[in-house]
Amino acid sequence: GHERVLLVDDEPSLLKVASRWLVELGYDVTAVASPAEALLLLGQDSFDVLVSDVLMPGQMDGVDLASAAERLHPGMTILLISGYPEGLVEKIQGRWRLLDKPFSRDQIGQMIRATLAGRPAR
């Protein structure tokens, strides 16, 4: 890929590894540790893909961030990741793709490609 990815996760080790993997796959990656940071960036710039953890501390989780991102950038491609998918499938069904943790470099790469392929034309 060559698209711009905004990666959001509160786990520093996962953020570092996933960011490195996506750069290795050719993506232009901006990595942040909170939904608040991501919202600031989304208000100033556009990205091709938002990849966000679902469960994060604070007032906003990944589902809230994805909804806000769609309001700011209608049709934005969104991929959510979680280590606790039970109960989330119903919450996001039909809206966004969900990648279960743990995942490999190839798995996140394939899921981003599949997510981008399904995005509506702009």
Side-chain angles (χ1 to χ4, degrees):
H2 59 276
E3 291 85 358
R4 296 187 70 213
V5 175
L6 178 56
L7 177 64
V8 187
D9 200 301
D10 63 306
E11 294 178 42
S13 59
L14 182 85
L15 194 63
K16 183 178 179 179
V17 169
S19 180
R20 186 182 76 233
W21 285 346
L22 294 175
V23 168
E24 288 172 1
L25 291 170
Y27 294 103
D28 177 6
V29 179
T30 300
V32 296
S34 75
E37 289 177 89
L39 271 181
L40 284 173
L41 289 172
L42 288 166
Q44 301 167 0
D45 206 350
S46 63
F47 296 85
D48 296 298
V49 184
L50 169 65
V51 178
S52 177
D53 188 17
V54 174
L55 299 177
M56 291 182 277
Q59 296 179 339
M60 178 178 275
D61 64 19
V63 173
D64 297 330
L65 175 59
S67 295
E70 281 190 330
R71 285 191 298 276
L72 288 168
H73 302 281
M76 182 177 198
T77 301
I78 296 170
L79 171 62
L80 297 177
I81 54 178
S82 179
Y84 307 96
E86 293 82 24
L88 292 174
V89 174
E90 296 80 27
K91 191 172 181 181
I92 68 165
Q93 188 116 26
R95 293 183 74 187
W96 309 296
R97 291 181 188 262
L98 179 64
L99 176 62
D100 295 342
K101 291 180 184 178
F103 52 82
S104 67
R105 184 184 87 153
D106 289 343
Q107 287 170 320
I108 193 170
Q110 290 168 359
M111 187 65 89
I112 288 175
R113 292 286 8 125
T115 303
L116 284 165
R119 88 175 153 192
R122 294 186 182 176

